[in-house]
Coordinates of all heavy atoms in Angstrom, one line a residue:
C15 N 0.9 -1.2 0.0 CA 0.0 -0.1 0.0 C 0.8 1.3 0.0 O 1.9 1.2 0.3 CB -1.0 0.0 1.2 SG -0.2 -0.1 2.8
I16 N 0.3 2.4 -0.4 CA 1.1 3.6 -0.5 C 0.2 4.8 -0.2 O -1.0 4.7 -0.6 CB 1.7 3.8 -1.8 CG1 2.7 4.9 -1.9 CG2 0.7 3.8 -3.0 CD1 3.6 4.8 -3.2
S17 N 0.7 5.7 0.5 CA 0.0 7.0 0.6 C 0.3 7.9 -0.5 O 1.4 8.2 -0.8 CB 0.5 7.7 2.0 OG 0.2 8.9 2.1
I18 N -0.7 8.4 -1.1 CA -0.6 9.3 -2.3 C 0.0 10.6 -1.9 O 0.8 11.2 -2.6 CB -2.0 9.5 -3.0 CG1 -2.6 8.2 -3.5 CG2 -1.8 10.4 -4.3 CD1 -1.7 7.3 -4.4
S19 N -0.5 11.1 -0.6 CA 0.0 12.4 -0.3 C 1.5 12.5 0.1 O 2.1 13.6 -0.3 CB -0.8 12.9 0.9 OG -0.6 12.0 2.0
D20 N 2.1 11.6 0.7 CA 3.5 11.6 1.1 C 4.4 10.5 0.7 O 5.5 10.4 1.0 CB 3.5 11.8 2.6 CG 3.0 10.7 3.4 OD1 2.9 9.6 2.8 OD2 2.6 11.0 4.5
G21 N 3.8 9.5 0.0 CA 4.7 8.4 -0.5 C 5.1 7.3 0.4 O 5.8 6.4 0.0
R22 N 4.6 7.3 1.6 CA 4.8 6.3 2.5 C 4.3 5.0 1.9 O 3.2 5.0 1.4 CB 4.3 6.5 3.9 CG 4.9 7.7 4.7 CD 4.1 7.9 5.9 NE 2.8 8.5 5.7 CZ 1.7 8.0 6.2 NH1 1.8 6.8 6.9 NH2 0.5 8.4 5.9
S23 N 5.0 3.8 2.1 CA 4.5 2.6 1.7 C 4.8 1.5 2.6 O 5.7 1.7 3.6 CB 5.3 2.3 0.4 OG 6.7 2.3 0.5
D24 N 4.2 0.4 2.4 CA 4.3 -0.8 3.2 C 4.1 -2.0 2.4 O 3.4 -1.9 1.4 CB 3.3 -0.8 4.5 CG 3.8 -1.8 5.6 OD1 4.9 -2.2 5.5 OD2 2.9 -2.1 6.3
Y25 N 4.7 -3.2 2.8 CA 4.7 -4.4 2.0 C 4.6 -5.5 3.0 O 5.1 -5.6 4.1 CB 5.9 -4.6 1.1 CG 6.3 -3.5 0.2 CD1 6.9 -2.4 0.6 CD2 5.9 -3.6 -1.2 CE1 7.3 -1.4 -0.4 CE2 6.2 -2.6 -2.1 CZ 6.9 -1.5 -1.7 OH 7.2 -0.5 -2.6
R26 N 3.9 -6.6 2.5 CA 4.0 -7.8 3.2 C 5.4 -8.5 3.1 O 6.0 -8.2 2.1 CB 2.9 -8.8 2.8 CG 3.1 -9.4 1.5 CD 1.9 -10.4 1.1 NE 1.7 -11.5 2.2 CZ 0.8 -11.6 3.1 NH1 -0.2 -10.7 3.0 NH2 0.9 -12.5 3.9
D27 N 5.8 -9.2 4.1 CA 7.2 -9.7 4.1 C 7.6 -10.5 3.0 O 8.6 -10.4 2.4 CB 7.4 -10.5 5.4 CG 7.5 -9.6 6.6 OD1 7.6 -8.4 6.6 OD2 7.4 -10.1 7.7
S28 N 6.7 -11.2 2.4 CA 6.9 -12.2 1.4 C 7.2 -11.6 0.0 O 7.8 -12.2 -0.9 CB 5.9 -13.2 1.1 OG 4.6 -12.6 0.7
V29 N 7.0 -10.3 -0.2 CA 7.2 -9.6 -1.4 C 8.3 -8.5 -1.3 O 8.7 -7.9 -2.2 CB 6.0 -9.0 -2.0 CG1 4.8 -10.1 -2.1 CG2 5.5 -7.8 -1.3
K30 N 8.8 -8.3 0.0 CA 9.8 -7.2 0.1 C 11.0 -7.6 -0.7 O 11.6 -8.7 -0.6 CB 10.0 -7.1 1.6 CG 9.1 -6.3 2.4 CD 9.4 -6.3 3.9 CE 8.2 -5.6 4.7 NZ 8.5 -5.6 6.0
G31 N 11.5 -6.6 -1.3 CA 12.7 -6.8 -2.2 C 12.4 -7.3 -3.6 O 13.2 -7.2 -4.4
R32 N 11.1 -7.6 -3.8 CA 10.8 -8.1 -5.2 C 9.7 -7.2 -5.8 O 9.7 -7.0 -7.0 CB 10.1 -9.6 -5.1 CG 11.1 -10.6 -4.5 CD 10.6 -11.9 -4.9 NE 9.4 -12.2 -3.9 CZ 8.2 -12.6 -4.5 NH1 8.1 -12.8 -5.9 NH2 7.2 -12.8 -3.7
F33 N 8.8 -6.7 -5.0 CA 7.7 -5.8 -5.5 C 8.0 -4.4 -5.1 O 8.5 -4.1 -4.0 CB 6.4 -6.3 -4.9 CG 5.9 -7.6 -5.4 CD1 6.7 -8.5 -6.2 CD2 4.6 -8.0 -5.0 CE1 6.1 -9.7 -6.6 CE2 4.0 -9.2 -5.5 CZ 4.9 -10.1 -6.3
T34 N 7.5 -3.5 -5.9 CA 7.7 -2.1 -5.6 C 6.3 -1.3 -6.0 O 5.9 -1.5 -7.2 CB 8.8 -1.4 -6.4 OG1 10.0 -2.1 -6.1 CG2 8.9 0.1 -6.0
I35 N 5.8 -0.6 -5.0 CA 4.6 0.2 -5.3 C 5.0 1.6 -5.5 O 5.9 2.1 -4.9 CB 3.5 0.0 -4.1 CG1 2.2 0.7 -4.6 CG2 4.1 0.7 -2.9 CD1 1.1 0.3 -3.5
S36 N 4.3 2.2 -6.5 CA 4.7 3.6 -6.9 C 3.4 4.3 -7.4 O 2.4 3.7 -7.7 CB 5.7 3.7 -7.9 OG 5.4 3.0 -9.1
T37 N 3.5 5.7 -7.6 CA 2.3 6.3 -8.1 C 2.7 7.3 -9.2 O 3.9 7.7 -9.3 CB 1.7 7.2 -6.9 OG1 2.7 8.2 -6.5 CG2 1.4 6.4 -5.7
D38 N 1.8 7.6 -10.0 CA 1.9 8.7 -11.0 C 0.6 9.6 -10.7 O -0.5 9.3 -11.1 CB 1.9 8.2 -12.4 CG 2.0 9.4 -13.4 OD1 1.6 10.4 -13.1 OD2 2.5 9.0 -14.5
N39 N 0.9 10.6 -9.9 CA -0.2 11.4 -9.6 C -0.9 12.3 -10.6 O -2.0 12.6 -10.5 CB 0.2 12.4 -8.3 CG 0.7 11.6 -7.0 OD1 0.5 10.5 -7.0 ND2 1.1 12.4 -6.1
V40 N -0.2 12.5 -11.6 CA -0.8 13.2 -12.7 C -1.8 12.4 -13.5 O -2.8 12.8 -13.8 CB 0.3 13.6 -13.8 CG1 -0.4 14.3 -15.0 CG2 1.2 14.8 -13.1
K41 N -1.4 11.0 -13.5 CA -2.3 10.2 -14.3 C -3.4 9.5 -13.3 O -4.2 8.6 -13.6 CB -1.5 9.0 -15.0 CG -0.7 9.6 -16.0 CD 0.0 8.4 -16.6 CE 0.8 8.8 -17.9 NZ 1.4 7.7 -18.6
N42 N -3.3 9.8 -12.0 CA -4.1 9.1 -10.9 C -4.0 7.6 -11.0 O -4.9 6.8 -11.0 CB -5.5 9.5 -11.0 CG -5.8 11.0 -10.6 OD1 -4.8 11.7 -10.2 ND2 -7.0 11.4 -10.5
T43 N -2.8 7.2 -11.1 CA -2.5 5.8 -11.2 C -1.5 5.3 -10.3 O -0.5 6.0 -9.9 CB -2.0 5.5 -12.7 OG1 -2.9 5.8 -13.5 CG2 -1.7 3.9 -12.9
V44 N -1.7 4.1 -9.7 CA -0.8 3.5 -8.8 C -0.2 2.0 -9.5 O -1.1 1.4 -10.2 CB -1.5 3.0 -7.5 CG1 -0.5 2.2 -6.5 CG2 -1.8 4.3 -6.8
Y45 N 1.0 1.9 -9.4 CA 1.7 0.8 -10.1 C 2.1 -0.2 -9.0 O 2.4 0.1 -7.9 CB 2.7 1.2 -10.9 CG 2.4 2.2 -12.0 CD1 2.6 3.5 -11.8 CD2 1.8 1.8 -13.2 CE1 2.3 4.5 -12.7 CE2 1.4 2.7 -14.2 CZ 1.7 4.0 -13.9 OH 1.4 5.0 -14.9
L46 N 2.1 -1.5 -9.4 CA 2.8 -2.6 -8.7 C 3.8 -3.2 -9.6 O 3.4 -4.0 -10.4 CB 1.8 -3.5 -8.0 CG 2.5 -4.5 -7.2 CD1 2.9 -3.9 -5.9 CD2 1.4 -5.6 -6.7
Q47 N 5.1 -3.0 -9.4 CA 6.1 -3.7 -10.2 C 6.5 -4.9 -9.4 O 6.9 -4.8 -8.3 CB 7.3 -2.7 -10.3 CG 8.5 -3.3 -11.1 CD 8.2 -3.6 -12.6 OE1 7.7 -2.6 -13.3 NE2 8.5 -4.7 -13.1
M48 N 6.4 -5.9 -10.1 CA 6.5 -7.3 -9.5 C 7.7 -8.0 -10.3 O 7.6 -8.3 -11.5 CB 5.2 -8.2 -9.7 CG 4.1 -7.5 -9.1 SD 2.7 -8.6 -9.0 CE 2.3 -8.8 -10.7
N49 N 8.8 -8.2 -9.6 CA 9.9 -8.9 -10.1 C 10.3 -10.2 -9.4 O 9.7 -10.4 -8.3 CB 11.2 -7.9 -10.0 CG 11.1 -6.6 -10.7 OD1 10.4 -6.5 -11.7 ND2 11.7 -5.6 -10.2
K50 N 11.0 -11.1 -10.1 CA 11.4 -12.2 -9.5 C 10.2 -13.0 -9.1 O 10.1 -13.6 -7.8 CB 12.4 -12.0 -8.2 CG 13.7 -11.5 -8.7 CD 14.6 -11.3 -7.6 CE 16.0 -10.7 -8.0 NZ 16.9 -10.5 -6.9
L51 N 9.2 -13.1 -9.9 CA 8.0 -13.7 -9.6 C 8.1 -15.2 -9.3 O 8.9 -15.9 -10.0 CB 6.9 -13.4 -10.7 CG 6.3 -12.1 -10.7 CD1 5.7 -11.7 -12.1 CD2 5.2 -11.9 -9.6
K52 N 7.2 -15.7 -8.3 CA 7.2 -17.1 -8.0 C 5.8 -17.7 -8.3 O 4.8 -16.9 -8.3 CB 7.6 -17.2 -6.5 CG 8.9 -16.5 -6.0 CD 9.0 -16.6 -4.5 CE 10.4 -16.0 -4.1 NZ 10.6 -16.1 -2.7
P53 N 5.7 -19.1 -8.4 CA 4.3 -19.6 -8.6 C 3.4 -19.2 -7.3 O 2.2 -19.2 -7.7 CB 4.6 -21.1 -8.6 CG 6.1 -21.2 -9.2 CD 6.8 -19.9 -8.7
E54 N 4.0 -19.0 -6.2 CA 3.2 -18.7 -5.1 C 2.6 -17.3 -5.2 O 1.6 -16.9 -4.5 CB 4.0 -18.7 -3.7 CG 4.7 -19.9 -3.6 CD 6.1 -19.9 -4.1 OE1 6.3 -20.4 -5.2 OE2 7.1 -19.7 -3.4
D55 N 3.0 -16.5 -6.2 CA 2.4 -15.2 -6.4 C 1.2 -15.2 -7.3 O 0.5 -14.2 -7.4 CB 3.4 -14.3 -7.1 CG 4.6 -14.0 -6.1 OD1 4.5 -13.7 -4.9 OD2 5.8 -14.0 -6.7
T56 N 0.9 -16.3 -7.8 CA -0.3 -16.5 -8.6 C -1.6 -16.2 -7.8 O -1.9 -16.7 -6.8 CB -0.4 -18.0 -9.2 OG1 0.7 -18.1 -10.0 CG2 -1.7 -18.2 -9.9
A57 N -2.4 -15.3 -8.5 CA -3.6 -14.8 -7.7 C -4.3 -13.9 -8.6 O -3.8 -13.3 -9.6 CB -3.2 -14.2 -6.4
V58 N -5.5 -13.4 -8.2 CA -6.2 -12.3 -8.7 C -5.7 -11.2 -7.9 O -5.9 -11.1 -6.6 CB -7.7 -12.4 -8.8 CG1 -8.4 -11.1 -9.1 CG2 -8.2 -13.5 -9.6
Y59 N -5.2 -10.1 -8.5 CA -4.7 -8.9 -7.9 C -5.7 -7.7 -8.0 O -6.1 -7.4 -9.1 CB -3.3 -8.5 -8.3 CG -2.2 -9.4 -7.9 CD1 -2.1 -10.6 -8.4 CD2 -1.3 -8.8 -7.0 CE1 -1.1 -11.4 -7.9 CE2 -0.3 -9.7 -6.6 CZ -0.1 -10.9 -7.0 OH 1.0 -11.7 -6.6
S60 N -6.2 -7.1 -6.9 CA -7.1 -6.0 -6.9 C -6.5 -4.8 -6.2 O -5.6 -5.0 -5.2 CB -8.4 -6.5 -6.2 OG -9.0 -7.6 -6.7

């Protein structure tokens, strides 16, 4: 998760170092960059 206003973020332990959350405030869009994906990451993401 990420705070739009100040950029603070938090991650569950299993994705730390692999996933990065970021924002583009002009586009009103939040991204989740997922690297080094594992089969355990398979899911519907919302």
Side-chain angles (χ1 to χ4, degrees):
C15 59
I16 189 166
S17 168
I18 304 302
S19 63
D20 60 21
R22 291 174 295 123
S23 61
D24 195 19
Y25 302 84
R26 73 179 302 107
D27 288 343
S28 64
V29 308
K30 289 179 179 177
R32 298 190 298 123
F33 292 9
T34 303
I35 189 168
S36 62
T37 66
D38 183 333
N39 291 358
V40 174
K41 295 182 177 179
N42 285 7
T43 299
V44 175
Y45 303 99
L46 185 67
Q47 178 68 46
M48 305 186 295
N49 299 326
K50 300 180 180 179
L51 282 161
K52 304 175 181 180
E54 306 93 270
D55 297 317
T56 295
V58 174
Y59 284 71
S60 301

